[in-house]
Structures are given as structure tokens and as C-alpha cells.
Amino acid sequence: MASAEHHATTGINTGSGSTFLEDTFEILEVDPDGKKFDKVSRIKARSDLYEMDLILDINVDVYPVKSGEKVTVCLSPTLNKDGSPMPTGDPGQQIYDTSIGTRESLADKYDYVMFGKVFKYKDALASGHVKADVFVSFGGLLMQLSGDPKRLEDLDVDNNIYLLMRKV
């Protein structure tokens, strides 16, 4: 496993659950286009290991962040530590798991958690290299993750996804 300074994994199933991606990002800018909402900021961040670019809306009233901070970001299809799927209701609809606050989960290792859905995936050519852009909506808070398509291939349109974050 990598050092505490920079931990990164993709497509893993560790003892802490199955994840699509876990990497450390440095926040480069907060609200680069100006502050639009009182309680929400947009961050731009970059990971060193996989050279991914992240644009993410964060509720800074709940989880304040600053330029220069490093955060570990995990994307997972489930909060269950064993990687099992979250409960579902109607076909394809996840339901709120009332036991999540009373049992151990992947969220226990993080400070900020959001639930959302992948709504767009596109491949693009940038500086002579193929890259992928994945877009996720977390109830209106948006994320764009750009990087190597091989690292992002498990993130399909209409996938439900959890974003988990903690400061390094």
C-alpha cells in the first residue's frame, strides 16, 4: 500500500469495500469563476499519481476547504465495507438505508459523503492523448473528473455513486 502521503487505488476491493477510485488530490483553486452561492464552492484539484483533474461543487457550510489543502477522494458504488450493493426499492432505485448510522461502513473513514448519479461520460483528445471526462450530479452539486479512460472505465452513465472525502 502507498504511503499515507499519497494513497491511490482503482477498481479495488479491500477490507474497506469495493471502490472505483481512491486518490489524493491537491486543491488548486476554490471558486475560480467567483462565488456563485453562499454555501457552495467549486474546487479545481489535481492528483499527482494518476494525473486526474477534478472539478467539484462542495457544501462549504458543512465541509470548508482551502486552496493548497490535500484531500483523499474515494468513488464507490456502495458504503458497505464488504462491497455488497446498497438496498434497492423500485427497479434501479436505491433507498435510504436506515441502518447506515448504526453499523460500520466505508463512510466511517471519511468526513464528507455525497450520493449521486453519473449522467455523462465522454472521451476526448487533449494534447495528443485520449482522456475521459466523467460527469456526476450529487443532487445538483456537480463533479467533472478527467483522466485516463482506463482509470475511469468502470464509471458508466446511470451508475449510482458515493463520493467520500477526507483531508490528508
Side-chain angles (χ1 to χ4, degrees), residues 4 156 159 162:
D156 295 323
N159 274 61
Y162 290 90

Side-chain angles (χ1 to χ4, degrees), residues 46-104:
R46 176 125 176 111
S47 76
D48 290 331
L49 187 62
Y50 293 132
E51 298 179 347
M52 291 192 182
D53 293 307
L54 175 70
I55 299 173
L56 179 66
D57 295 339
I58 296 175
N59 181 335
V60 291
D61 197 40
V62 175
Y63 194 71
V65 293
K66 297 184 287 195
S67 257
E69 287 182 326
K70 289 192 175 187
V71 292
T72 298
V73 175
C74 176
L75 299 176
S76 177
T78 182
L79 292 177
N80 294 325
K81 290 180 91 172
D82 65 0
S84 63
M86 297 299 285
T88 58
D90 293 331
Q93 294 284 18
Q94 284 189 304
I95 58 173
Y96 179 68
D97 181 357
T98 57
S99 72
I100 203 70
T102 61
R103 61 181 173 81
E104 288 187 20

Side-chain angles (χ1 to χ4, degrees), residues 142-162:
L142 302 177
M143 177 185 84
Q144 177 184 351
L145 184 61
S146 303
D148 182 347
K150 291 178 185 166
R151 302 274 177 218
L152 301 173
E153 66 187 359
D154 291 334
L155 298 171
D156 295 323
V157 172
D158 290 332
N159 274 61
N160 289 324
I161 190 169
Y162 290 90

Side-chain angles (χ1 to χ4, degrees), residues 27-45 54-61 63 65-67 112 114 119 135-138 140-144 165:
I27 298 173
L28 304 174
E29 297 179 77
V30 178
D31 294 317
D33 299 322
K35 187 91 169 137
K36 307 273 190 222
F37 300 100
D38 290 339
K39 298 180 180 189
V40 175
S41 284
R42 178 162 287 174
I43 66 165
K44 285 189 174 183
L54 175 70
I55 299 173
L56 179 66
D57 295 339
I58 296 175
N59 181 335
V60 291
D61 197 40
Y63 194 71
V65 293
K66 297 184 287 195
S67 257
Y112 184 71
M114 294 192 291
F119 68 88
F135 299 85
V136 181
S137 177
F138 301 98
L141 298 179
L142 302 177
M143 177 185 84
Q144 177 184 351
M165 190 165 32

Side-chain angles (χ1 to χ4, degrees), residues 108-129:
D108 295 338
K109 295 172 44 178
Y110 296 88
D111 303 319
Y112 184 71
V113 179
M114 294 192 291
F115 175 75
K117 184 174 278 230
V118 177
F119 68 88
K120 186 176 180 182
Y121 182 103
K122 71 176 189 176
D123 289 321
L125 192 60
S127 304
H129 299 291

